Structures are given as C-alpha cells and as structure tokens.
Amino acid sequence: MSNVFTPQRVAALHYCMAGVWALLIIPTLLLWKDSVTWVAFMSLYANGAAHLSAAKASRAEQEAEK
C-alpha cells in the first residue's frame, strides 16, 4: 500500500466525510422544504452510514497489520 493511502488516513477521510453528510442534514431539512425531504434525508443518512462503515473497515485493516 502506498504511503498516501495509509489505513489511518483513509479512516480519517471517511470520518470527515461522514461529518460532512451529517452537516448536510441541516440545509436539507431547513432550506430545501419543497424537496422530497424524506428521500433526501435517507440519501444523506445512507452516505453517512457508508462512510462510517468504511472507516470501521479501515480500522480493522489497521488492527490486522499490527
């Protein structure tokens, strides 16, 4: 694995992206009221959950390397 994509950096990226998706819930619920809010929220939730599970997988990879 290259030094750029270490498990620690990949996990940090996924945690940051999960935070971004979580922050996007606010404008989804407040500003985009005319949109299909439930579908938008579920899409944001799915993206956040995917990043969190990917971060956990990166952590498992870190533990396996030790």
Side-chain angles (χ1 to χ4, degrees), residues 3-5 7 9 14 21-24 27 34-35 40 42 46 52 56 59 65-66:
N3 291 335
V4 176
F5 296 109
R9 287 184 181 173
H14 287 298
W21 289 116
L23 289 174
L24 283 173
D34 294 334
S35 69
M42 293 308 291
L52 287 175
K56 281 192 163 194
R59 293 288 180 190
E65 287 181 353
K66 290 182 182 178

Side-chain angles (χ1 to χ4, degrees), residues 36-64:
V36 182
T37 305
W38 181 249
V39 174
F41 172 76
M42 293 308 291
S43 176
L44 292 171
Y45 171 79
N47 282 309
H51 279 292
L52 287 175
S53 63
K56 281 192 163 194
S58 293
R59 293 288 180 190
E61 183 180 349
Q62 289 173 358
E63 294 299 320

Side-chain angles (χ1 to χ4, degrees), residues 23-34:
L23 289 174
L24 283 173
I25 290 172
I26 296 166
T28 299
L29 296 175
L30 297 178
L31 302 175
W32 303 324
K33 290 182 180 181
D34 294 334

